[in-house]
């Protein structure tokens, strides 16, 4: 199953393969310390031997591959991570294609949706949608409209938030999520005219209200958590004046009215975030007419993608059952996410997960030793850090006991009428699941709450500050990230350093250090240790501020600080784990050093990527450094890098006192 989509397009290496010999540059300078080392390597096909490792290690390690695989027309990027993204897209496409069930596993709900599509049901579907819109239009007061909005929240609509759940402090907590920006709004004026019987002028006015709402979200830094870091965003949200002007109104009262109508308990801290005062103010200052238009838009925006085309309209773009399913699987908070993840997991070898679990514990043990050896930490802070590390929950692909998944999965609707009406039922089920599971504890429930946002098939790995857990999604347990046939250098550098070690270190980065072992904010640092950590952070900021990419675009060391600390931590920790494993196997001397060099080359393989100008531009606003700097900006901070590659000079050379080791 899924053999087609799980095979990566990059050549996989194995320690059982015949090793290629890496040659010297054709005309080495002859100066001491500026020649690349000649030796067998699994990565010889990637290496640009004409680039000195001490000048640009990234180009040395993968430059040949980059030169031989230029971007194709319209391609955003290529390389290791791009192949992983392509595998995820292929899986989603298969779920909605004729290959479903043949090249994938199966799920009874997905199977039912495949069976339910009939284009002739368009009129019945449209009648259901218009009945929903009529209830919005029929509200005579804002209070009545808030009640209708609450009922729509219960039905799984964004009114104007979505009601989902997340793991917070070792329990399942309900949260209100908002779209990141107007880009998440896909319905247009033509959709409004067809589905809501609007005139062209009415449709344009409605679009204006949607754009105003989107602008408000962006200007107030109120965004969802599907992309980026929930905890960081949660604490960075700003309270600002309303776009509509005027004096401050009734705070969260409108939101409380909506939640009450939805039957959602507001006695806890659901509305504690200051941002909700701004949202409440926005609703309070909007007129009844403005809010009606916004609500109508939000309903059409969600459901327009799930209604088939009008068979009587020959000019309309045909929306088929396959299109509807594809959109359902790609929807950010789709009710089918956990079901689809279960299908994906069926094709991930259990042995891969078991190996990842073992690796995670090896990394934890090594990190514990390294914490104990940190000279800049006091004994008291070391003890707290180790306590947090030992309490950290590791999720590798799926929980050890996956039986609780069924409590989080939607079921086949009982009264099946059409694919659209089935999807309406699934969204209602999602809200019921959130209500049923809120407050639940236990590691498995923490996982499923997160999987509602981070499905197994979406390329990602995450550390949850408010739950002290790492999530390595199942797609990281297959090629190109991991495979049991890979050589150990690849295993410990890509899955190890770039995924597991990276995420563990996030628990101790510039932001993760603010949370304790259960994910609660707590200052557990001795004052002198905080000062020492600040100095190390300043050194990292200075280091990355000195690096550039693209057309001499400087990296932002402050914006990328947390990710850079995690990259460096993973690199150090997993190098130690890898060396320990080799020594236990009896490897020593020159072969031990050769394997050490393979580890660094494999690290570059993990971030191997050609990028378009647009992709490079995106890094200006990213909390991650570009791939080339995630390699070069970290490897040259390690003493072992210089020793292993015999680097005594070169453009990347740093004096020993300028090198950085944090964790």
């Amino acid at each position: 199953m899924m053999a087609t989509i799980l095979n990566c397009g990059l050549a996989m290496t194995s320690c059982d393969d015949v090793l290629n010999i890496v040659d010297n540059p054709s005309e080495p300078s002859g100066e001491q310390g500026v020649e690349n080392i000649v030796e067998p390597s699994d990565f010889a096909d990637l290496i640009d031997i004409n680039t000195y490792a001490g000048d640009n290690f990234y180009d040395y390690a993968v430059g040949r591959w980059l030169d031989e695989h230029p971007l194709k027309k319209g391609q955003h990027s290529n390389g290791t991570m791009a192949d992983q993204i392509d595998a995820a897209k292929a899986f989603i496409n298969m779920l909605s294609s004729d290959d479903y069930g043949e090249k994938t596993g199966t799920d009874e709900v997905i199977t039912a949706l495949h069976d339910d599509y009939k284009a002739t049901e368009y009129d019945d579907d449209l009648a259901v949608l218009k009945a929903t819109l009529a209830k919005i239009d029929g509200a005579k007061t804002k209070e009545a409209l808030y009640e209708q909005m609450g009922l729509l929240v219960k039905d799984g609509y964004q009114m104007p938030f979505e009601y989902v759940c997340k793991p917070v402090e070792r329990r399942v907590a309900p949260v209100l999520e908002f779209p990141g920006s107007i880009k998440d709004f896909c319905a247009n004026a033509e959709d409004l005219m067809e589905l809501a019987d609007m005139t062209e002028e009415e449709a344009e006015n409605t679009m204006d209200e949607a754009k105003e709402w989107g602008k408000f979200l962006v200007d107030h830094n109120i965004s969802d958590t599907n992309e980026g870091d929930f905890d960081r965003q949660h604490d960075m949200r700003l309270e600002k004046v309303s776009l509509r002007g005027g004096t401050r109104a009734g705070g969260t009262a409108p939101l409380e009215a909506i939640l009450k109508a939805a039957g959602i308990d507001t006695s806890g801290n659901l509305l504690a975030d200051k941002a909700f005062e701004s949202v409440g103010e926005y609703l309070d200052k909007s007129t009844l007419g403005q809010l009606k238009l916004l609500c109508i838009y939000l309903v059409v925006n969600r459901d327009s993608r799930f209604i088939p085309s009008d068979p009587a309209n020959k000019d309309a773009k045909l929306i088929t059952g396959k299109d509807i399913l594809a959109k359902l699987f790609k929807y950010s908070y789709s009710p089918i996410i956990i079901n689809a993840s279960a299908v994906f997991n069926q094709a991930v070898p259990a042995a891969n997960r078991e190996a990842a679990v073992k690796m995670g514990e090896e990394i934890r043990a090594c990190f514990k030793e390294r914490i104990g050896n940190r000279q800049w930490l006091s004994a008291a802070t070391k003890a707290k850090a180790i306590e947090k590390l030992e309490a950290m929950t590791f999720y590798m692909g799926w929980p050890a006991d996956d039986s609780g998944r069924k409590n989080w999965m939607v079921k086949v609707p009982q009264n099946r009428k059409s694919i659209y009406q089935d999807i309406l039922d699934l969204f209602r089920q999602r809200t019921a699941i959130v209500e049923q599971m809120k407050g639940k504890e236990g590691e498995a429930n923490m996982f499923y709450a997160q999987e509602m946002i981070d499905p197994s098939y979406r390329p990602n790995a995450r550390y949850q500050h408010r739950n002290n857990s790492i999530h390595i999604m199942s797609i990281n347990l297959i090629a190109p990230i991991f495979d049991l046939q890979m050589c150990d250098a690849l295993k410990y550098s890509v899955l190890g350093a770039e995924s597991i070690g990276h995420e563990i270190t996030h628990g101790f980065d510039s932001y993760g250090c603010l949370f304790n072992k259960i994910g609660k904010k707590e200052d557990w640092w001795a004052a002198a240790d905080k000062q020492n950590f600040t100095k190390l952070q300043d050194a990292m900021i200075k280091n990355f501020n000195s690096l550039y990419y693209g057309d001499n675009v400087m990296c932002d060391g402050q914006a990328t600080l947390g990710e850079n600390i995690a990259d460096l931590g993973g690199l150090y920790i997993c190098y130690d784990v890898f060396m320990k494993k080799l020594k236990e196997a009896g490897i020593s001397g020159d072969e031990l050093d050769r394997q050490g060099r393979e580890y660094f080359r494999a690290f570059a393989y993990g971030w191997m990527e050609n990028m378009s100008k647009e992709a490079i531009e995106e890094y200006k606003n990213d909390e991650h450094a570009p791939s080339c700097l995630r390699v070069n900006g970290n490897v040259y901070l390690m003493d072992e890098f210089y020793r292993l590659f015999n680097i005594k000079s070169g453009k990347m050379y740093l004096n020993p006192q300028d090198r950085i080791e944090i964790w």
Side-chain angles (χ1 to χ4, degrees):
M1 294 188 300
M2 287 205 291
T4 302
I5 68 167
L6 298 190
N7 286 337
C8 108
L10 303 177
M12 297 304 302
T13 60
S14 165
C15 290
D16 296 329
D17 292 342
V18 176
L19 298 178
N20 295 307
I21 300 297
V22 176
D23 295 324
N24 267 330
S26 56
E27 296 181 0
S29 66
E31 297 178 17
Q32 185 180 24
V34 295
E35 294 182 7
N36 290 322
I37 295 172
V38 180
E39 64 184 358
S41 174
D42 283 311
F43 304 97
D45 289 343
L46 311 180
I47 293 172
D48 176 8
I49 199 62
N50 293 308
T51 299
Y52 174 49
D55 284 339
N56 188 325
F57 180 74
Y58 182 74
D59 281 358
Y60 154 78
V62 297
R64 181 176 174 185
W65 189 95
L66 296 175
D67 288 342
E68 293 178 355
H69 296 80
L71 292 178
K72 298 176 182 177
K73 186 177 181 179
Q75 198 172 18
H76 191 67
S77 65
N78 63 13
T80 308
M81 297 303 170
D83 272 24
Q84 189 187 37
I85 292 170
D86 288 344
K89 290 178 179 177
F91 170 72
I92 292 298
N93 291 338
M94 283 189 181
L95 286 184
S96 54
S97 73
D98 293 334
D99 290 331
Y100 168 71
E102 296 179 6
K103 295 185 177 180
T104 68
T106 59
D107 170 76
E108 62 177 5
V109 178
I110 299 173
T111 301
L113 292 174
H114 270 275
D115 294 340
D116 280 353
Y117 172 72
K118 295 181 184 66
T120 54
E121 293 166 340
Y122 173 82
D123 290 338
D124 291 339
D125 290 342
L126 190 59
V128 171
L129 175 61
K130 287 183 177 179
T132 300
L133 299 179
K135 292 176 182 178
I136 295 173
D137 195 46
K140 303 299 183 184
T141 63
K142 288 180 70 172
E143 289 71 23
L145 182 59
Y146 291 150
E147 183 175 355
Q148 286 301 319
M149 292 171 72
L151 295 175
L152 289 169
V153 167
K154 201 168 185 178
D155 285 343
Y157 285 97
Q158 181 191 104
M159 283 289 135
F161 51 79
E162 296 207 52
Y163 183 60
V164 294
C165 53
K166 297 212 172 183
V168 178
E169 295 178 17
R170 300 298 169 94
R171 62 185 175 83
V172 176
V175 295
L176 308 183
E177 290 299 339
F178 298 87
S181 70
I182 193 66
K183 71 179 181 181
D184 297 298
F185 302 156
C186 60
N188 54 36
E190 289 73 21
D191 294 321
L192 293 166
M193 292 166 65
E194 176 187 354
L195 302 176
D197 287 336
M198 286 186 171
T199 64
E200 184 175 352
E201 182 180 2
E202 290 170 335
E204 291 299 331
N205 290 338
T206 303
M207 290 300 300
D208 288 342
E209 283 304 312
K211 291 174 183 176
E212 186 80 357
W213 171 240
K215 186 175 185 298
F216 167 82
L217 294 173
V218 173
D219 288 351
H220 287 64
N221 196 29
I222 300 169
S223 59
D224 70 13
T225 65
N226 188 47
E227 296 181 2
D229 187 280
F230 160 63
D231 302 305
R232 200 181 305 272
Q233 288 181 4
H234 184 89
D235 283 6
M236 288 174 64
R237 287 173 177 168
L238 306 176
E239 179 182 9
K240 300 180 180 180
V241 296
S242 169
L243 292 176
R244 299 196 186 280
T247 57
R248 178 165 296 283
T252 61
L255 293 175
E256 291 172 7
I258 294 169
L259 291 169
K260 181 179 179 181
I264 297 170
D265 183 11
T266 61
S267 61
N269 62 353
L270 189 61
L271 298 175
D273 195 309
K274 288 184 178 180
F276 292 126
E277 294 182 12
S278 294
V279 176
E281 182 185 6
Y282 182 93
L283 298 178
D284 194 81
K285 291 178 180 177
S286 299
T287 66
L288 175 61
Q290 288 170 332
L291 281 183
K292 281 185 179 182
L293 292 181
L294 176 60
C295 291
I296 288 171
Y297 179 82
L298 292 175
V299 169
V300 172
N301 182 61
R302 194 195 81 177
D303 286 3
S304 60
R305 66 194 87 188
F306 301 132
I307 292 183
S309 302
D310 181 358
N313 186 352
K314 296 181 180 180
D315 296 327
K317 180 181 177 182
L318 183 63
I319 301 176
T320 67
K322 294 176 185 178
D323 296 328
I324 294 169
L325 283 170
K327 291 175 181 178
L328 179 64
F329 295 129
K330 293 176 183 177
Y331 191 85
S332 294
Y333 294 102
S334 172
I336 206 74
I337 279 179
I338 295 181
N339 296 57
S341 292
V343 174
F344 186 87
N345 291 345
Q346 291 175 37
V348 178
N352 286 25
R353 180 190 174 277
E354 292 168 7
V357 169
K358 181 180 179 181
M359 183 187 293
E361 292 306 323
E362 291 173 346
I363 295 171
R364 192 200 306 259
C366 180
F367 196 5
K368 180 178 177 180
E369 291 180 12
R370 290 185 62 85
I371 290 173
N373 293 331
R374 296 307 89 194
Q375 297 298 313
W376 57 276
L377 282 179
S378 68
T381 303
K382 286 180 183 178
K384 285 287 188 179
I386 290 172
E387 184 181 59
K388 178 175 181 177
L389 175 65
E390 290 179 334
M392 192 179 292
T393 303
F394 291 0
Y395 295 110
M396 303 294 179
W398 56 87
D401 180 1
D402 205 23
S403 60
R405 179 180 294 273
K406 62 181 183 297
N407 298 324
W408 290 82
M409 295 169 69
V410 292
K411 310 296 190 297
V412 177
Q414 293 182 350
N415 300 312
R416 293 161 61 187
K417 296 180 179 179
S418 71
I419 189 170
Y420 166 64
Q421 294 182 57
D422 275 359
I423 290 172
L424 295 182
D425 186 284
L426 299 181
F427 273 103
R428 294 186 194 104
Q429 287 189 50
R430 186 197 70 180
T431 305
I433 288 170
V434 173
E435 277 293 281
Q436 173 191 346
M437 301 308 296
K438 70 179 182 182
K440 296 286 186 181
E441 299 179 349
E443 290 187 2
N445 286 325
M446 300 301 101
F447 173 84
Y448 301 124
Q450 186 60 36
E451 195 175 43
M452 274 192 158
I453 286 81
D454 284 314
S456 294
Y457 49 83
R458 184 176 295 156
N460 198 9
R462 187 183 295 276
Y463 171 74
Q464 282 292 341
H465 301 89
R466 295 185 181 275
N467 193 38
N468 192 28
S469 62
I470 67 167
H471 295 244
I472 308 298
M473 286 64 182
S474 294
I475 197 166
N476 294 295
L477 305 183
I478 57 175
I481 304 303
F482 184 71
D483 187 275
L484 292 179
Q485 301 307 311
M486 286 178 172
C487 63
D488 284 343
L490 268 170
K491 292 175 184 175
Y492 283 92
S493 61
V494 182
L495 178 62
E498 296 174 12
S499 296
I500 301 174
H502 175 99
E503 298 306 332
I504 294 174
T505 308
H506 267 313
F508 305 89
D509 70 9
S510 53
Y511 189 69
C513 69
L514 305 177
F515 297 81
N516 66 13
K517 66 179 182 178
I518 66 168
K520 185 176 182 179
K521 269 200 168 181
E522 177 190 336
D523 186 359
W524 49 271
W525 289 68
D529 297 331
K530 282 195 289 187
Q531 292 177 356
N532 290 335
F533 191 27
T534 297
K535 291 178 182 177
L536 288 168
Q537 291 179 61
D538 289 343
M540 284 293 283
I541 293 170
K542 181 180 179 181
N543 171 55
F544 277 87
N545 278 343
S546 70
L547 304 177
Y548 62 87
Y549 60 96
D551 293 329
N552 293 333
V553 180
M554 301 304 295
C555 184
D556 187 333
Q558 181 66 58
T560 59
L561 176 62
E563 295 298 330
N564 295 333
I565 291 174
D567 281 341
L568 186 62
L571 188 66
Y572 267 111
I573 296 161
C574 291
Y575 177 78
D576 284 359
V577 176
F578 182 43
M579 288 294 104
K580 180 179 180 181
K581 182 178 180 66
L582 292 173
K583 291 174 183 177
E584 289 175 348
I587 297 173
S588 62
D590 291 343
E591 177 57 16
L592 185 68
D593 284 351
R594 188 190 73 82
Q595 291 278 9
R597 288 186 285 274
E598 291 287 80
Y599 173 85
F600 283 99
R601 294 169 185 141
F603 187 76
Y605 161 86
W607 298 120
M608 182 169 62
E609 179 183 34
N610 277 314
M611 295 186 292
S612 66
K613 291 182 179 179
E614 292 75 18
I616 293 172
E617 190 71 17
E618 288 173 4
Y619 275 106
K620 292 181 179 180
N621 300 309
D622 201 308
E623 62 184 8
H624 301 85
S627 299
C628 57
L629 299 189
R630 297 185 79 164
V631 178
N632 284 349
N634 286 296
V635 297
Y636 84 143
L637 300 178
M638 294 178 63
D639 289 337
E640 276 292 270
F641 170 72
Y642 293 87
R643 184 188 72 80
L644 288 171
F645 288 92
N646 193 30
I647 295 173
K648 299 176 182 177
S649 63
K651 296 177 181 178
M652 288 183 60
Y653 184 83
L654 281 181
N655 291 319
Q657 65 268 23
D658 295 324
R659 300 168 197 171
I660 303 170
E661 182 175 358
I662 302 178
W663 295 109

